[in-house]
Amino acid sequence: MRVLGPDHPGTLTTRHNVARWRGESGDAAGAAEAFAELLHDRMRILGPDHPDTLHTRGNLARWRGRAGDAAGAVFALSQLLEDRTRVMGTDHPDTLFTRGDLAQWRGESGDAGGAAEAFAELLQDQLRVLSPDHPDILKTRHLLVRWKRNAEEERRRPNEHRADDDGRQLD
């Protein structure tokens, strides 16, 4: 920073990497804080629609989610998806990636059915846009199965009856 200055693209990239590794080392809240500070500077220097600014917004949302604010991650990713779609288009790989993140955090916030539905829609678009053997398609298929299973378990839970230790129904 001393040589290039705080607003140099190389400095901003280094701050991005430090924030990421802070989170990867176990400090999700610290990573979110660092990405929030970086986002402020990227907005000021690069503008709100620059790909690096959009990328930082995605990282901030993910690390907030990992720090325990799944609903905040869903909200931030919903806003980011609108902006990525407007700036990059619906079929851009970054837009598709954001849709996957949003679906994942919907599930993590307690909406397994919504996550499964979002992954099913994403898979259809990925199959249309990406090559059939693209790794993102495999990941989406895996997550779709996971969230469908979770949604099914949620649907069954209210219908389950509690039993005592001898197997007698309690309700």
Side-chain angles (χ1 to χ4, degrees):
M1 191 154 65
R2 189 180 77 231
V3 174
L4 300 177
D7 293 349
H8 188 278
T11 303
L12 298 174
T13 298
T14 299
R15 288 176 58 199
H16 173 97
N17 291 336
V18 168
R20 177 177 172 255
W21 285 108
R22 186 173 181 179
E24 294 294 337
S25 70
D27 184 6
E33 181 181 328
F35 275 115
E37 292 169 6
L38 176 60
L39 177 60
H40 173 77
D41 290 337
R42 282 199 162 156
M43 293 275 286
R44 178 178 54 81
I45 297 162
L46 303 174
D49 293 339
H50 190 279
D52 290 348
T53 303
L54 297 172
H55 188 68
T56 300
R57 287 175 59 192
N59 278 301
L60 174 56
R62 279 187 292 283
W63 286 108
R64 281 187 175 156
R66 290 181 184 180
D69 185 9
V74 169
F75 179 76
L77 288 164
S78 295
Q79 291 182 319
L80 176 60
L81 180 58
E82 288 178 19
D83 291 338
R84 278 205 192 273
T85 302
R86 177 180 50 80
V87 173
M88 300 176 160
T90 57
D91 293 341
H92 190 280
D94 291 347
T95 304
L96 296 172
F97 186 84
T98 299
R99 287 176 59 193
D101 268 355
L102 178 56
Q104 180 65 27
W105 284 107
R106 281 182 74 179
E108 296 294 338
S109 70
D111 184 8
E117 182 179 323
F119 276 119
E121 292 170 2
L122 174 60
L123 179 61
Q124 293 307 309
D125 289 337
Q126 286 176 326
L127 289 168
R128 180 178 50 78
V129 174
L130 304 173
S131 65
D133 57 346
H134 193 283
D136 287 355
I137 291 175
L138 179 61
K139 178 181 177 184
T140 299
R141 287 181 194 274
H142 168 78
L143 291 168
L144 173 58
V145 169
R146 173 186 172 203
W147 288 111
K148 276 185 171 181
R149 183 179 55 236
N150 289 355
E152 184 59 35
E153 289 172 7
E154 283 180 4
R155 278 192 292 275
R156 275 194 306 239
R157 237 179 260 133
N159 297 326
E160 292 178 357
H161 297 284
R162 295 181 303 141
D164 64 14
D165 291 336
D166 295 323
R168 293 181 294 233
Q169 295 295 327
L170 295 176
D171 46 332

